[in-house]
Short mmCIF file of all heavy atoms in Angstrom, two decimals:
data_model
loop_
_atom_site.label_atom_id
_atom_site.label_comp_id
_atom_site.label_asym_id
_atom_site.label_seq_id
_atom_site.Cartn_x
_atom_site.Cartn_y
_atom_site.Cartn_z
N ILE A 43 10.46 16.36 0.44
CA ILE A 43 10.39 16.97 1.78
C ILE A 43 11.79 17.63 2.05
O ILE A 43 12.80 16.91 1.99
CB ILE A 43 10.14 15.80 2.76
CG1 ILE A 43 8.83 15.06 2.45
CG2 ILE A 43 10.10 16.36 4.25
CD1 ILE A 43 8.69 13.74 3.15
N ALA A 44 11.76 18.91 2.38
CA ALA A 44 13.05 19.65 2.62
C ALA A 44 13.58 19.06 3.91
O ALA A 44 12.88 18.95 4.92
CB ALA A 44 12.76 21.11 2.73
N TYR A 45 14.99 18.87 3.90
CA TYR A 45 15.58 18.49 5.15
C TYR A 45 15.62 19.69 6.12
O TYR A 45 15.34 19.62 7.30
CB TYR A 45 17.03 18.13 4.96
CG TYR A 45 17.30 16.80 4.42
CD1 TYR A 45 17.74 16.55 3.08
CD2 TYR A 45 17.06 15.59 5.11
CE1 TYR A 45 17.96 15.32 2.54
CE2 TYR A 45 17.23 14.34 4.58
CZ TYR A 45 17.73 14.15 3.29
OH TYR A 45 17.93 12.95 2.86
N ARG A 46 15.79 20.94 5.61
CA ARG A 46 15.86 22.12 6.38
C ARG A 46 14.80 23.14 5.93
O ARG A 46 14.64 23.34 4.70
CB ARG A 46 17.24 22.75 6.27
CG ARG A 46 18.42 21.84 6.60
CD ARG A 46 19.77 22.60 6.54
NE ARG A 46 19.82 23.27 5.21
CZ ARG A 46 20.81 24.16 4.90
NH1 ARG A 46 21.67 24.48 5.85
NH2 ARG A 46 20.77 24.73 3.74
N ALA A 47 14.09 23.71 6.86
CA ALA A 47 12.95 24.61 6.50
C ALA A 47 13.44 25.73 5.61
O ALA A 47 12.69 26.18 4.73
CB ALA A 47 12.35 25.14 7.81
N GLU A 48 14.69 26.21 5.79
CA GLU A 48 15.15 27.36 5.00
C GLU A 48 15.27 27.05 3.51
O GLU A 48 15.33 27.96 2.68
CB GLU A 48 16.44 27.95 5.61
CG GLU A 48 17.57 26.95 5.67
CD GLU A 48 17.80 26.40 7.05
OE1 GLU A 48 16.70 26.06 7.66
OE2 GLU A 48 18.90 26.27 7.52
N ASP A 49 15.37 25.72 3.22
CA ASP A 49 15.50 25.37 1.81
C ASP A 49 14.08 25.29 1.16
O ASP A 49 14.07 25.16 -0.07
CB ASP A 49 16.17 24.01 1.68
CG ASP A 49 17.72 24.10 1.99
OD1 ASP A 49 18.23 25.16 1.72
OD2 ASP A 49 18.26 23.17 2.53
N PHE A 50 13.02 25.26 1.87
CA PHE A 50 11.72 25.05 1.25
C PHE A 50 11.29 26.05 0.26
O PHE A 50 10.88 25.67 -0.81
CB PHE A 50 10.68 24.89 2.36
CG PHE A 50 9.32 24.48 1.89
CD1 PHE A 50 9.13 23.27 1.14
CD2 PHE A 50 8.20 25.28 2.11
CE1 PHE A 50 7.88 22.97 0.69
CE2 PHE A 50 7.00 24.96 1.61
CZ PHE A 50 6.79 23.82 0.90
N PRO A 51 11.52 27.32 0.47
CA PRO A 51 11.15 28.26 -0.56
C PRO A 51 11.85 28.08 -1.92
O PRO A 51 11.20 28.15 -2.97
CB PRO A 51 11.55 29.66 0.05
CG PRO A 51 11.53 29.42 1.49
CD PRO A 51 12.03 28.01 1.69
N ARG A 52 13.05 27.73 -1.82
CA ARG A 52 13.84 27.52 -3.03
C ARG A 52 13.32 26.18 -3.82
O ARG A 52 13.25 26.11 -4.96
CB ARG A 52 15.39 27.33 -2.77
CG ARG A 52 16.22 27.21 -4.03
CD ARG A 52 17.60 27.61 -3.79
NE ARG A 52 18.27 26.56 -2.81
CZ ARG A 52 19.26 25.79 -3.12
NH1 ARG A 52 19.73 25.85 -4.46
NH2 ARG A 52 19.76 24.94 -2.28
N ILE A 53 12.99 25.18 -2.97
CA ILE A 53 12.48 23.96 -3.59
C ILE A 53 11.11 24.29 -4.25
O ILE A 53 10.86 23.78 -5.30
CB ILE A 53 12.32 22.90 -2.49
CG1 ILE A 53 13.70 22.46 -2.00
CG2 ILE A 53 11.51 21.68 -2.91
CD1 ILE A 53 13.71 21.55 -0.83
N CYS A 54 10.28 25.15 -3.59
CA CYS A 54 9.00 25.42 -4.11
C CYS A 54 9.23 26.12 -5.46
O CYS A 54 8.48 25.92 -6.42
CB CYS A 54 8.17 26.44 -3.17
SG CYS A 54 7.44 25.55 -1.80
N GLU A 55 10.20 27.03 -5.43
CA GLU A 55 10.36 27.87 -6.63
C GLU A 55 10.85 27.04 -7.78
O GLU A 55 10.49 27.13 -8.92
CB GLU A 55 11.42 28.93 -6.40
CG GLU A 55 11.50 29.98 -7.40
CD GLU A 55 12.64 31.00 -7.06
OE1 GLU A 55 12.93 31.17 -5.84
OE2 GLU A 55 13.15 31.58 -7.99
N PHE A 56 11.75 26.06 -7.52
CA PHE A 56 12.40 25.32 -8.54
C PHE A 56 11.64 24.07 -8.98
O PHE A 56 11.54 23.73 -10.14
CB PHE A 56 13.77 24.92 -8.21
CG PHE A 56 14.67 24.50 -9.38
CD1 PHE A 56 15.22 25.48 -10.12
CD2 PHE A 56 14.72 23.18 -9.76
CE1 PHE A 56 15.88 25.12 -11.30
CE2 PHE A 56 15.38 22.89 -10.92
CZ PHE A 56 16.04 23.82 -11.65
N VAL A 57 11.11 23.33 -8.08
CA VAL A 57 10.55 22.03 -8.35
C VAL A 57 9.02 22.20 -8.76
O VAL A 57 8.16 21.99 -7.93
CB VAL A 57 10.71 20.97 -7.21
CG1 VAL A 57 10.29 19.57 -7.66
CG2 VAL A 57 12.17 20.94 -6.75
N THR A 58 8.83 22.68 -9.92
CA THR A 58 7.51 23.00 -10.41
C THR A 58 6.85 21.84 -11.10
O THR A 58 7.57 20.79 -11.34
CB THR A 58 7.59 24.15 -11.43
OG1 THR A 58 8.42 23.65 -12.55
CG2 THR A 58 8.19 25.38 -10.81
N GLU A 59 5.62 21.92 -11.36
CA GLU A 59 4.91 20.87 -12.07
C GLU A 59 5.59 20.65 -13.44
O GLU A 59 5.81 19.41 -13.88
CB GLU A 59 3.44 21.22 -12.31
CG GLU A 59 2.64 21.15 -11.03
CD GLU A 59 1.14 21.65 -11.24
OE1 GLU A 59 0.87 22.09 -12.40
OE2 GLU A 59 0.39 21.56 -10.27
N GLU A 60 6.02 21.74 -14.11
CA GLU A 60 6.65 21.66 -15.40
C GLU A 60 7.98 20.78 -15.32
O GLU A 60 8.19 19.92 -16.14
CB GLU A 60 7.00 23.07 -15.86
CG GLU A 60 5.83 23.80 -16.46
CD GLU A 60 5.27 23.08 -17.67
OE1 GLU A 60 6.03 22.70 -18.59
OE2 GLU A 60 4.04 22.89 -17.74
N ARG A 61 8.76 21.18 -14.29
CA ARG A 61 10.08 20.51 -14.19
C ARG A 61 9.89 19.03 -13.81
O ARG A 61 10.68 18.24 -14.21
CB ARG A 61 10.97 21.23 -13.25
CG ARG A 61 11.50 22.57 -13.82
CD ARG A 61 12.85 22.99 -13.15
NE ARG A 61 13.38 24.16 -13.80
CZ ARG A 61 13.19 25.44 -13.42
NH1 ARG A 61 12.32 25.59 -12.42
NH2 ARG A 61 13.67 26.42 -14.11
N VAL A 62 8.92 18.74 -13.02
CA VAL A 62 8.65 17.37 -12.63
C VAL A 62 8.22 16.61 -13.90
O VAL A 62 8.69 15.49 -14.14
CB VAL A 62 7.69 17.24 -11.53
CG1 VAL A 62 7.19 15.75 -11.29
CG2 VAL A 62 8.34 17.75 -10.25
N ARG A 63 7.37 17.20 -14.70
CA ARG A 63 6.94 16.56 -15.91
C ARG A 63 8.16 16.29 -16.84
O ARG A 63 8.27 15.18 -17.41
CB ARG A 63 5.89 17.41 -16.61
CG ARG A 63 5.46 16.91 -17.98
CD ARG A 63 4.50 17.87 -18.62
NE ARG A 63 3.17 17.72 -18.12
CZ ARG A 63 2.31 16.73 -18.28
NH1 ARG A 63 2.62 15.78 -19.18
NH2 ARG A 63 1.18 16.71 -17.75
N THR A 64 9.09 17.27 -16.89
CA THR A 64 10.27 17.00 -17.71
C THR A 64 11.11 15.91 -17.19
O THR A 64 11.56 15.06 -17.90
CB THR A 64 11.08 18.34 -17.80
OG1 THR A 64 10.17 19.36 -18.26
CG2 THR A 64 12.26 18.16 -18.69
N GLN A 65 11.25 15.90 -15.84
CA GLN A 65 12.20 14.89 -15.23
C GLN A 65 11.60 13.42 -15.42
O GLN A 65 12.39 12.51 -15.56
CB GLN A 65 12.19 15.27 -13.69
CG GLN A 65 13.21 14.29 -12.88
CD GLN A 65 14.66 14.53 -13.24
OE1 GLN A 65 15.05 15.41 -13.91
NE2 GLN A 65 15.49 13.64 -12.69
N LEU A 66 10.31 13.39 -15.41
CA LEU A 66 9.64 12.08 -15.51
C LEU A 66 9.07 11.79 -16.94
O LEU A 66 8.12 11.07 -17.12
CB LEU A 66 8.48 11.91 -14.49
CG LEU A 66 8.99 12.04 -13.05
CD1 LEU A 66 7.79 11.94 -12.08
CD2 LEU A 66 10.03 10.95 -12.69
N ALA A 67 9.59 12.55 -17.93
CA ALA A 67 9.02 12.48 -19.30
C ALA A 67 9.02 11.06 -19.84
O ALA A 67 8.13 10.69 -20.61
CB ALA A 67 9.85 13.38 -20.24
N GLY A 68 9.92 10.23 -19.32
CA GLY A 68 9.97 8.83 -19.86
C GLY A 68 8.79 8.04 -19.54
O GLY A 68 8.49 7.03 -20.16
N LEU A 69 7.94 8.55 -18.60
CA LEU A 69 6.72 7.86 -18.22
C LEU A 69 5.55 8.35 -18.98
O LEU A 69 4.40 7.73 -18.91
CB LEU A 69 6.34 8.07 -16.72
CG LEU A 69 7.43 7.66 -15.71
CD1 LEU A 69 6.99 8.07 -14.35
CD2 LEU A 69 7.62 6.14 -15.79
N ASN A 70 5.73 9.44 -19.65
CA ASN A 70 4.66 10.09 -20.47
C ASN A 70 3.38 10.24 -19.57
O ASN A 70 2.34 9.74 -19.99
CB ASN A 70 4.33 9.25 -21.71
CG ASN A 70 3.55 10.04 -22.74
OD1 ASN A 70 3.52 11.23 -22.71
ND2 ASN A 70 2.81 9.33 -23.51
N PRO A 71 3.45 10.99 -18.50
CA PRO A 71 2.23 11.08 -17.61
C PRO A 71 1.17 11.85 -18.23
O PRO A 71 1.37 12.77 -19.01
CB PRO A 71 2.80 11.75 -16.37
CG PRO A 71 4.06 12.47 -16.81
CD PRO A 71 4.60 11.67 -17.97
N ALA A 72 -0.13 11.54 -17.89
CA ALA A 72 -1.28 12.32 -18.37
C ALA A 72 -1.40 13.68 -17.68
O ALA A 72 -1.77 14.64 -18.32
CB ALA A 72 -2.53 11.47 -18.11
N ARG A 73 -1.02 13.69 -16.38
CA ARG A 73 -1.20 14.89 -15.71
C ARG A 73 -0.31 14.98 -14.41
O ARG A 73 -0.10 13.92 -13.82
CB ARG A 73 -2.65 15.22 -15.28
CG ARG A 73 -2.86 16.53 -14.56
CD ARG A 73 -4.32 16.96 -14.77
NE ARG A 73 -5.27 16.04 -14.18
CZ ARG A 73 -6.45 16.34 -13.73
NH1 ARG A 73 -6.88 17.60 -13.84
NH2 ARG A 73 -7.28 15.45 -13.21
N VAL A 74 0.31 16.13 -14.17
CA VAL A 74 1.11 16.31 -12.96
C VAL A 74 0.52 17.43 -12.14
O VAL A 74 0.32 18.51 -12.64
CB VAL A 74 2.55 16.64 -13.26
CG1 VAL A 74 3.40 16.93 -11.99
CG2 VAL A 74 3.22 15.49 -14.08
N THR A 75 0.17 17.13 -10.81
CA THR A 75 -0.45 18.15 -9.97
C THR A 75 0.46 18.32 -8.77
O THR A 75 0.91 17.32 -8.18
CB THR A 75 -1.81 17.75 -9.54
OG1 THR A 75 -2.65 17.47 -10.74
CG2 THR A 75 -2.51 18.91 -8.77
N ARG A 76 0.77 19.55 -8.35
CA ARG A 76 1.59 19.80 -7.15
C ARG A 76 0.71 20.28 -5.98
O ARG A 76 -0.14 21.20 -6.19
CB ARG A 76 2.58 20.77 -7.51
CG ARG A 76 3.56 21.11 -6.27
CD ARG A 76 4.71 22.01 -6.69
NE ARG A 76 4.41 23.42 -6.26
CZ ARG A 76 5.36 24.34 -6.23
NH1 ARG A 76 6.61 24.10 -6.54
NH2 ARG A 76 5.01 25.58 -5.87
N TYR A 77 0.91 19.77 -4.75
CA TYR A 77 0.24 20.23 -3.62
C TYR A 77 1.43 20.72 -2.65
O TYR A 77 2.39 20.13 -2.54
CB TYR A 77 -0.58 19.22 -2.93
CG TYR A 77 -1.69 18.73 -3.81
CD1 TYR A 77 -1.64 17.51 -4.56
CD2 TYR A 77 -2.93 19.45 -3.85
CE1 TYR A 77 -2.71 17.15 -5.40
CE2 TYR A 77 -3.95 19.02 -4.62
CZ TYR A 77 -3.87 17.91 -5.36
OH TYR A 77 -4.87 17.46 -6.17
N GLU A 78 1.13 21.75 -1.96
CA GLU A 78 2.14 22.39 -1.01
C GLU A 78 1.72 22.23 0.49
O GLU A 78 0.56 22.35 0.78
CB GLU A 78 2.32 23.88 -1.32
CG GLU A 78 2.83 24.08 -2.67
CD GLU A 78 2.74 25.60 -3.09
OE1 GLU A 78 2.73 26.54 -2.12
OE2 GLU A 78 2.69 25.91 -4.26
N LEU A 79 2.64 21.74 1.31
CA LEU A 79 2.39 21.61 2.74
C LEU A 79 3.53 22.42 3.44
O LEU A 79 4.51 21.94 3.95
CB LEU A 79 2.42 20.17 3.10
CG LEU A 79 1.35 19.32 2.50
CD1 LEU A 79 1.92 18.45 1.38
CD2 LEU A 79 0.65 18.49 3.52
N PRO A 80 3.28 23.80 3.58
CA PRO A 80 4.35 24.57 4.17
C PRO A 80 4.70 24.28 5.57
O PRO A 80 5.92 24.35 5.95
CB PRO A 80 3.86 26.00 4.09
CG PRO A 80 2.38 25.94 3.62
CD PRO A 80 2.21 24.55 3.06
N LYS A 81 3.80 23.83 6.38
CA LYS A 81 4.09 23.40 7.75
C LYS A 81 5.04 22.25 7.90
O LYS A 81 5.73 22.13 8.83
CB LYS A 81 2.80 23.10 8.55
CG LYS A 81 2.14 24.34 9.05
CD LYS A 81 1.15 23.91 10.21
CE LYS A 81 0.59 25.10 10.82
NZ LYS A 81 -0.41 24.81 11.90
N LEU A 82 5.01 21.41 6.88
CA LEU A 82 5.94 20.22 6.79
C LEU A 82 7.09 20.54 6.02
O LEU A 82 8.02 19.70 5.91
CB LEU A 82 5.16 18.97 6.23
CG LEU A 82 3.97 18.48 6.97
CD1 LEU A 82 3.42 17.33 6.28
CD2 LEU A 82 4.24 18.15 8.37
N GLY A 83 7.16 21.65 5.27
CA GLY A 83 8.29 21.98 4.39
C GLY A 83 8.25 20.91 3.25
O GLY A 83 9.31 20.36 2.87
N ALA A 84 7.12 20.57 2.75
CA ALA A 84 6.95 19.42 1.78
C ALA A 84 6.12 19.81 0.65
O ALA A 84 5.17 20.62 0.74
CB ALA A 84 6.40 18.23 2.53
N LEU A 85 6.39 19.18 -0.49
CA LEU A 85 5.46 19.25 -1.61
C LEU A 85 5.05 17.75 -1.90
O LEU A 85 5.71 16.79 -1.52
CB LEU A 85 6.22 19.63 -2.92
CG LEU A 85 6.85 21.04 -2.82
CD1 LEU A 85 7.72 21.30 -4.04
CD2 LEU A 85 5.73 22.08 -2.66
N ASN A 86 3.79 17.62 -2.50
CA ASN A 86 3.38 16.30 -2.91
C ASN A 86 2.90 16.38 -4.36
O ASN A 86 2.06 17.21 -4.76
CB ASN A 86 2.16 15.86 -2.10
CG ASN A 86 1.77 14.44 -2.28
OD1 ASN A 86 2.61 13.65 -2.43
ND2 ASN A 86 0.56 14.14 -2.32
N PHE A 87 3.57 15.60 -5.20
CA PHE A 87 3.24 15.54 -6.60
C PHE A 87 2.36 14.28 -6.97
O PHE A 87 2.71 13.23 -6.52
CB PHE A 87 4.51 15.46 -7.46
CG PHE A 87 5.30 16.81 -7.41
CD1 PHE A 87 6.27 17.00 -6.48
CD2 PHE A 87 4.99 17.80 -8.29
CE1 PHE A 87 7.01 18.18 -6.35
CE2 PHE A 87 5.65 19.01 -8.19
CZ PHE A 87 6.60 19.24 -7.28
N VAL A 88 1.34 14.56 -7.63
CA VAL A 88 0.39 13.45 -8.04
C VAL A 88 0.51 13.32 -9.54
O VAL A 88 0.19 14.31 -10.30
CB VAL A 88 -1.05 13.82 -7.55
CG1 VAL A 88 -1.96 12.74 -8.01
CG2 VAL A 88 -1.11 13.95 -6.05
N ILE A 89 0.89 12.14 -9.92
CA ILE A 89 1.27 11.97 -11.39
C ILE A 89 0.29 10.85 -11.92
O ILE A 89 0.39 9.74 -11.59
CB ILE A 89 2.75 11.52 -11.46
CG1 ILE A 89 3.65 12.68 -10.92
CG2 ILE A 89 3.12 11.23 -12.89
CD1 ILE A 89 4.71 12.32 -10.11
N GLU A 90 -0.60 11.33 -12.72
CA GLU A 90 -1.63 10.48 -13.24
C GLU A 90 -1.23 9.77 -14.52
O GLU A 90 -0.45 10.35 -15.34
CB GLU A 90 -2.92 11.23 -13.49
CG GLU A 90 -3.52 11.71 -12.17
CD GLU A 90 -4.67 12.73 -12.47
OE1 GLU A 90 -5.66 12.37 -13.15
OE2 GLU A 90 -4.64 13.91 -12.01
N GLY A 91 -1.63 8.50 -14.65
CA GLY A 91 -1.39 7.73 -15.86
C GLY A 91 0.03 7.35 -16.00
O GLY A 91 0.62 7.26 -17.15
N ALA A 92 0.83 7.09 -14.88
CA ALA A 92 2.26 6.96 -14.94
C ALA A 92 2.67 5.49 -14.72
O ALA A 92 3.88 5.17 -14.87
CB ALA A 92 2.90 7.77 -13.90
N LEU A 93 1.77 4.62 -14.44
CA LEU A 93 2.16 3.30 -13.94
C LEU A 93 1.77 2.12 -14.67
O LEU A 93 1.63 0.93 -14.20
CB LEU A 93 1.70 3.14 -12.50
CG LEU A 93 2.18 4.14 -11.46
CD1 LEU A 93 1.59 3.97 -10.08
CD2 LEU A 93 3.74 4.09 -11.39
N GLY A 94 1.67 2.33 -16.00
CA GLY A 94 1.32 1.22 -16.93
C GLY A 94 0.09 0.41 -16.53
O GLY A 94 0.10 -0.83 -16.68
N GLY A 95 -0.88 1.10 -15.96
CA GLY A 95 -2.14 0.41 -15.63
C GLY A 95 -2.27 0.04 -14.16
O GLY A 95 -3.32 -0.36 -13.70
N GLY A 96 -1.22 0.32 -13.37
CA GLY A 96 -1.30 0.10 -11.89
C GLY A 96 -0.79 -1.24 -11.55
O GLY A 96 -0.50 -2.15 -12.34
N VAL A 97 -0.53 -1.42 -10.19
CA VAL A 97 0.23 -2.54 -9.69
C VAL A 97 -0.37 -3.88 -10.01
O VAL A 97 0.36 -4.87 -10.26
CB VAL A 97 0.47 -2.37 -8.23
CG1 VAL A 97 -0.76 -2.46 -7.45
CG2 VAL A 97 1.43 -3.44 -7.72
N THR A 98 -1.67 -3.92 -10.10
CA THR A 98 -2.23 -5.27 -10.36
C THR A 98 -2.16 -5.73 -11.78
O THR A 98 -2.17 -6.97 -11.99
CB THR A 98 -3.80 -5.22 -9.97
OG1 THR A 98 -4.42 -4.35 -10.88
CG2 THR A 98 -4.05 -4.79 -8.58
N ARG A 99 -1.80 -4.89 -12.74
CA ARG A 99 -1.74 -5.39 -14.08
C ARG A 99 -0.63 -4.92 -14.95
O ARG A 99 -0.39 -5.12 -16.07
CB ARG A 99 -3.11 -5.11 -14.80
CG ARG A 99 -3.37 -3.60 -15.07
CD ARG A 99 -4.79 -3.48 -15.57
NE ARG A 99 -5.11 -4.24 -16.76
CZ ARG A 99 -4.86 -3.88 -18.05
NH1 ARG A 99 -4.39 -2.70 -18.27
NH2 ARG A 99 -5.23 -4.69 -19.00
N SER A 100 0.28 -4.00 -14.30
CA SER A 100 1.33 -3.46 -15.03
C SER A 100 2.32 -4.55 -15.48
O SER A 100 2.59 -5.46 -14.78
CB SER A 100 2.12 -2.45 -14.12
OG SER A 100 3.26 -2.09 -14.75
N LEU A 101 2.97 -4.34 -16.66
CA LEU A 101 3.96 -5.26 -17.09
C LEU A 101 5.35 -4.85 -16.55
O LEU A 101 6.38 -5.49 -16.86
CB LEU A 101 4.07 -5.27 -18.65
CG LEU A 101 2.81 -5.89 -19.33
CD1 LEU A 101 3.08 -5.86 -20.87
CD2 LEU A 101 2.60 -7.35 -18.89
N ALA A 102 5.40 -3.67 -15.84
CA ALA A 102 6.74 -3.19 -15.43
C ALA A 102 7.32 -4.04 -14.34
O ALA A 102 6.63 -4.64 -13.53
CB ALA A 102 6.59 -1.77 -14.95
N LEU A 103 8.64 -3.95 -14.31
CA LEU A 103 9.38 -4.73 -13.21
C LEU A 103 9.01 -4.10 -11.88
O LEU A 103 8.69 -4.74 -10.88
CB LEU A 103 10.85 -4.65 -13.45
CG LEU A 103 11.84 -5.51 -12.65
CD1 LEU A 103 11.44 -6.99 -12.90
CD2 LEU A 103 13.28 -5.27 -13.02
N ASP A 104 9.00 -2.80 -11.85
CA ASP A 104 8.64 -2.04 -10.56
C ASP A 104 7.15 -1.57 -10.76
O ASP A 104 6.93 -0.39 -11.10
CB ASP A 104 9.59 -0.80 -10.40
CG ASP A 104 9.18 0.06 -9.23
OD1 ASP A 104 8.24 -0.38 -8.43
OD2 ASP A 104 9.70 1.20 -9.09
N ALA A 105 6.26 -2.48 -10.63
CA ALA A 105 4.92 -2.22 -11.02
C ALA A 105 4.26 -1.15 -10.09
O ALA A 105 3.35 -0.41 -10.49
CB ALA A 105 4.10 -3.51 -10.90
N HIS A 106 4.81 -1.03 -8.88
CA HIS A 106 4.34 0.13 -7.95
C HIS A 106 4.91 1.50 -8.31
O HIS A 106 4.47 2.50 -7.91
CB HIS A 106 4.77 -0.12 -6.56
CG HIS A 106 4.16 -1.38 -5.92
ND1 HIS A 106 4.66 -2.54 -5.86
CD2 HIS A 106 3.03 -1.45 -5.16
CE1 HIS A 106 3.93 -3.39 -5.16
NE2 HIS A 106 2.91 -2.71 -4.72
N GLY A 107 5.94 1.49 -9.15
CA GLY A 107 6.64 2.76 -9.50
C GLY A 107 7.42 3.23 -8.24
O GLY A 107 7.65 4.40 -8.04
N LYS A 108 7.88 2.30 -7.35
CA LYS A 108 8.54 2.70 -6.06
C LYS A 108 9.75 3.43 -6.33
O LYS A 108 10.30 4.20 -5.47
CB LYS A 108 8.82 1.45 -5.21
CG LYS A 108 7.59 0.68 -4.77
CD LYS A 108 7.01 1.19 -3.53
CE LYS A 108 5.95 0.28 -2.95
NZ LYS A 108 5.23 0.87 -1.79
#
Side-chain angles (χ1 to χ4, degrees):
Chain A
I43 304 163
Y45 283 113
R46 303 182 312 168
E48 57 262 40
D49 290 326
F50 184 59
R52 186 160 65 115
I53 291 170
C54 282
E55 192 183 334
F56 197 84
V57 189
T58 60
E59 290 174 356
E60 282 297 311
R61 286 203 174 92
V62 168
R63 176 181 283 283
T64 303
Q65 183 73 7
L66 300 178
L69 301 175
N70 195 24
R73 184 154 61 155
V74 175
T75 308
R76 181 175 98 164
Y77 297 99
E78 297 171 24
L79 296 104
K81 275 199 176 177
L82 299 181
L85 300 173
N86 190 37
F87 290 92
V88 176
I89 297 138
E90 295 171 54
L93 297 178
V97 64
T98 63
R99 67 188 309 270
S100 171
L101 293 180
L103 193 61
D104 176 14
H106 293 91
K108 298 274 193 186

